[in-house]
Amino acid sequence: MRRERVPRRLVVGETVWLWSVAHAHTAVRDAEGRRVHPDCRELLTLRRADDRHAQLRLVFRSGDGRFASDGTGADGGVGTRDRDLNLHEPGAVRRLLDEAAARDLLPDAQGVTEVDGWPLFDAVAPAPSSP
């Protein structure tokens, strides 16, 4: 069984990438004082194994016909009504990484580069099957 919170390895050519998936949300109080989480999002963080301080974080926020796991089901799922990706699948991560590289989004400096993941999703998520 895989240990949670331990980054996974993805080898692309001679470069070793480490990646992890997390769920995050903003907790606020509603008018009755109950905690609500209006801002659910899935985070895919990638970094080269040889440069732990330069990270690319793809953020998938729920809303406008797009969903990110809400914490009640399996985490790592992002999608639309007819397309989805599981961010725990290495193939999905590889496609997102390749698309980020093609768009010159890979970090080359220290710190976290945070990017909206949905444009990358639109480019790499499988098209719906025809009936």
Side-chain angles (χ1 to χ4, degrees):
M1 181 173 208
R2 208 175 109 19
R3 292 182 300 161
E4 292 298 319
R5 302 283 185 207
V6 175
R8 295 178 70 180
R9 293 170 45 94
L10 179 67
V11 179
V12 179
E14 294 187 18
T15 304
V16 177
W17 290 88
L18 300 177
W19 58 281
S20 61
V21 178
H23 178 81
H25 51 262
T26 305
V28 296
R29 302 266 178 203
D30 66 8
E32 287 80 37
R34 296 178 301 225
R35 287 175 56 105
V36 294
H37 306 99
D39 184 27
C40 280
R41 58 200 180 277
E42 289 294 309
L43 310 170
L44 173 62
T45 303
L46 299 126
R47 67 175 174 85
R48 290 173 48 139
D50 63 355
D51 189 358
R52 62 186 282 202
H53 298 292
Q55 299 179 14
L56 173 64
R57 181 169 299 141
L58 302 180
V59 180
F60 297 89
R61 284 186 165 77
S62 291
D64 294 328
R66 299 179 181 271
F67 73 84
S69 298
D70 61 6
T72 59
D75 69 337
V78 297
T80 62
R81 191 176 65 129
D82 57 356
R83 300 188 314 162
D84 61 71
L85 285 176
N86 181 340
L87 300 179
H88 290 292
E89 292 180 2
V93 173
R94 173 65 189 265
R95 291 194 308 272
L96 289 165
L97 177 61
D98 288 347
E99 187 64 23
R103 295 176 186 223
D104 199 29
L105 297 175
L106 301 182
D108 55 3
Q110 301 292 327
V112 176
T113 301
E114 199 166 276
V115 175
D116 179 6
W118 290 115
L120 301 171
F121 170 91
D122 291 337
V124 304
S129 301
S130 298

